């Protein structure tokens, strides 16, 4: 029950147990094409270039940035948590002129602040995290696409922590490049990075196309400003996944099976339903944390559905509590990074673990461990508050079924988000 990785869906693990198939077997190329279509639905996009990059979520980030950025390009990175610093790190290694804006951990940027930064820095690319699990907050993106379009800026986001658990619309929000990972709300293992690229991003990437020797055909360009990675060269990967079937690398067959199954399960569930499920169980966890008498970190108006940052009570050894939960109950929760390390626990409610039983069991165990650690908690308050929220949701659903989604009473959810703390 940490911020990821989480328990993979057993159906994903079962799919990954299938026998290997050669990467140019018609069955495998068919799976690749099918996977592209499934992830178009997951990302909510019509982008032709929607594919899975073999590697962890960070591989997807690196592929996007190394393929879109040339040395000397200006890149704007707004940072509101640990993973914004990662985008900065990768962009700097690519050779970009990186401009940074930061807000205190526990807050996010206003669209006006980002537009002002764009005006001041005149970047080629805006690179920003959508949901940063280090702070458990989600940066609103819905207005940024229009801002980027007005100023001629490419728009990239990392949705590893947020996709499928929080509303996300690649096309409607004007995204040019998006990358993700499986190990959170997509309910799979780390090792595959779904990604999608707009026609505008593809044009930039294709302008740097330079096919490697040995697989180059007559007429293929050889450029001096080629993409500065072979493995993460998206121009060649587009041909690998496309009709040309360029022989780039040996496909990670088992990982592809898992990535395909993650997307298939989400599409079958319905993306709106998946987001509603995460909202329901994440809100129940949040209500339970408050019910125990604990406080949470961050701006409640922008919290992610799928992870809660709990302030560690004074006098409690946070690592000892985590250790007891793991040793005695088999439940893992996380700490955080940088200025939040040792100050918060991060409890994830995502993917296969976004369920009522996992929420109630975690709250019951946390209460007992905190009591043993000497903390003052409200007896039965955690499970009781979560149960109350579930009961209200059931009544709402019975009174007015919301087209197959799990509705949560807005007032109870709003009340559950009080007492948040921001780290300045």
């Amino acid at each position: 029950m940490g911020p990821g990785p989480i328990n993979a869906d057993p159906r994903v693990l079962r799919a990954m147990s299938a026998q290997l198939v050669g990467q140019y077997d018609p069955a495998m190329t068919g799976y690749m094409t099918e996977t592209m279509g499934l992830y178009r639905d997951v990302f909510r996009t019509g982008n032709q270039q929607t594919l899975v990059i073999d590697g962890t979520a960070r591989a997807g980030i690196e592929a996007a940035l190394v393929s879109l950025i040339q040395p000397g390009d200006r890149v704007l990175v707004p940072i509101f948590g640990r993973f914004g610093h990662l985008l900065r790190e990768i962009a700097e290694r690519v050779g970009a002129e990186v401009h940074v804006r930061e807000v205190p951990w526990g807050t996010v940027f206003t669209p006006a602040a980002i537009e002002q930064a764009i005006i001041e820095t005149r970047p080629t690319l805006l690179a920003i995290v959508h949901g940063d699990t280090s702070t458990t907050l989600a940066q609103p993106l819905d207005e940024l696409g229009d801002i980027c379009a007005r100023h001629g800026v490419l728009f990239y986001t990392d949705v590893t922590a947020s996709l499928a658990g929080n509303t996300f619309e690649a096309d409607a929000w004007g995204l040019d490049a998006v990358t993700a990972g499986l190990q959170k709300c997509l309910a799979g293992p780390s090792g595959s990075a779904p990604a999608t690229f707009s026609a505008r991003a593809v044009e930039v990437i294709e302008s740097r196309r330079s096919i490697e020797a040995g697989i180059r055909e007559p007429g293929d360009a050889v450029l001096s400003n080629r993409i500065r990675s072979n493995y993460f060269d998206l121009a060649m990967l587009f041909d690998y996944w496309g009709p040309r079937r360029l022989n780039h690398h040996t496909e990670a067959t088992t990982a592809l099976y898992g990535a395909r199954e993650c997307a298939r399960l989400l599409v079958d569930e319905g993306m709106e339903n998946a987001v509603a499920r995460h909202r329901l169980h994440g809100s129940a966890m949040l209500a339970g944390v408050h019910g125990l008498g604990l406080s949470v970190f961050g701006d409640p108006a922008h919290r992610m559905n799928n992870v809660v940052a709990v302030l560690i009570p004074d006098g409690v050894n946070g690592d000892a509590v985590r250790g007891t939960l793991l040793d005695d109950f088999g439940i893992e929760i996380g700490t955080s990074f940088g200025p939040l390390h040792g100050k918060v626990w991060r409890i994830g409610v995502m993917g296969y673990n976004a369920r009522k039983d996992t929420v109630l069991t975690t709250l019951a165990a946390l209460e007992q461990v905190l009591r043993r650690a000497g903390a003052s908690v409200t007896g039965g308050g955690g499970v009781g508050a979560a149960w109350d929220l579930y009961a209200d949701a059931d009544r709402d659903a019975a009174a007015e079924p919301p087209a197959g989604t799990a509705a949560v009473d807005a007032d109870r959810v709003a009340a559950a988000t009080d007492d948040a703390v921001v780290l300045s």
Side-chain angles (χ1 to χ4, degrees):
M1 300 296 287
I6 49 81
N7 297 93
D9 192 303
R11 293 168 292 183
V12 174
L13 298 178
R14 186 163 58 245
M16 295 178 71
S17 70
Q19 184 55 271
L20 303 185
V21 175
Q23 65 197 65
Y24 295 114
D25 186 295
M28 177 53 63
T29 56
Y31 294 153
M32 294 171 74
T33 299
E34 181 186 0
T35 301
M36 295 173 80
L38 288 167
Y39 276 102
R40 291 187 189 105
D41 288 341
V42 171
F43 284 118
R44 308 300 290 266
T45 184
N47 291 340
Q48 176 64 29
Q49 297 300 356
T50 302
L51 66 160
V52 175
I53 296 162
D54 292 330
T56 64
R58 188 174 300 214
I61 297 170
E62 190 145 345
L65 296 185
V66 75
S67 297
L68 287 168
I69 298 170
Q70 295 192 60
D73 283 351
R74 292 180 180 177
V75 175
L76 173 63
V77 182
I79 297 174
F80 61 100
R82 180 254 167 124
F83 293 100
H85 288 287
L86 174 62
L87 300 189
R88 175 187 190 174
E89 163 87 10
I90 294 174
E92 287 176 342
R93 287 183 179 232
V94 171
E97 178 187 319
V98 180
H99 296 265
V100 168
R101 296 292 185 271
E102 295 190 56
V103 292
W105 286 30
T107 65
V108 296
F109 291 87
T110 64
I114 290 179
E115 182 164 26
Q116 183 60 36
I118 288 174
I119 292 169
E120 292 169 355
T121 61
R122 295 175 291 114
T124 299
L125 176 76
L126 169 68
I128 191 168
V129 174
H130 182 214
D132 196 315
T133 53
S134 68
T135 65
T136 72
L137 297 190
Q139 168 66 47
L141 302 180
D142 54 319
E143 297 182 44
L144 302 188
D146 287 342
I147 292 172
C148 287
R150 284 200 300 272
H151 296 280
V153 176
L154 288 169
F155 183 16
Y156 162 75
T157 190
D158 165 31
V159 297
T160 299
S162 56
L163 186 64
N166 303 266
T167 300
F168 180 75
E169 301 277 348
D171 285 358
W173 294 354
L175 270 302
D176 291 301
V178 186
T179 63
L182 303 184
Q183 72 272 20
K184 299 182 188 284
C185 299
L186 274 71
S190 179
S192 297
T196 189
F197 301 90
S198 73
R200 192 162 68 129
V202 170
E203 183 179 0
V204 172
I205 293 165
E206 295 283 6
S207 72
R208 302 179 66 199
R209 171 186 295 277
S210 186
I211 305 300
E212 67 184 72
I215 58 174
R216 192 180 301 146
E217 296 178 357
D220 283 340
V222 181
L223 303 182
S224 59
N225 67 331
R226 60 186 175 180
I227 293 166
R228 294 196 170 192
S229 170
N230 180 286
Y231 190 74
F232 295 134
D233 185 328
L234 285 174
M236 289 199 289
L237 286 175
F238 292 164
D239 278 341
Y240 179 59
W241 280 78
R244 187 177 179 184
R245 299 297 175 191
L246 182 75
N247 183 8
H248 183 260
H249 68 279
T250 301
E251 178 55 31
T253 303
T254 301
L256 179 66
Y257 295 159
R260 173 176 172 265
E261 188 69 359
C262 287
R264 189 188 69 79
L265 292 172
L266 282 169
V267 171
D268 284 353
E269 180 181 8
M271 293 304 295
E272 295 89 351
N273 294 346
V275 171
R277 172 168 57 86
H278 283 84
R279 184 183 304 117
L280 171 64
H281 298 299
S283 296
M285 180 65 78
L286 181 61
V289 165
H290 282 302
L292 287 171
L294 302 173
S295 297
V296 299
F297 172 81
D299 179 355
H302 296 104
R303 73 173 190 87
M304 298 166 65
N305 291 329
N306 53 297
V307 62
V308 178
V310 182
L311 288 168
I312 299 171
D314 291 341
V316 171
N317 184 321
D319 287 341
V321 167
R322 292 175 59 233
T324 302
L325 276 172
L326 184 60
D327 292 342
D328 292 351
F329 292 91
I331 296 173
E332 180 187 56
I333 64 173
T335 181
S336 191
F337 310 99
L340 290 181
H341 182 74
K343 296 182 179 180
V344 302
W345 296 306
R346 294 180 298 155
I347 304 177
V349 184
M350 59 184 82
Y352 182 67
N353 290 349
R355 309 194 313 265
K356 184 176 182 179
D357 63 303
T358 61
V359 170
L360 297 179
T361 301
T362 300
L363 289 168
L366 181 61
E367 177 185 340
Q368 297 307 315
V369 174
L370 285 172
R371 284 181 180 280
R372 198 169 183 83
S376 177
V377 294
T378 303
V383 171
W387 252 335
D388 286 346
L389 190 140
Y390 283 128
D392 282 354
D394 288 342
R395 279 193 294 271
D396 289 346
E400 188 176 352
T405 63
V408 181
D409 181 83
D411 292 336
R412 289 197 61 82
V413 173
T417 61
D418 291 341
D419 304 323
V421 173
V422 172
L423 186 68
S424 59

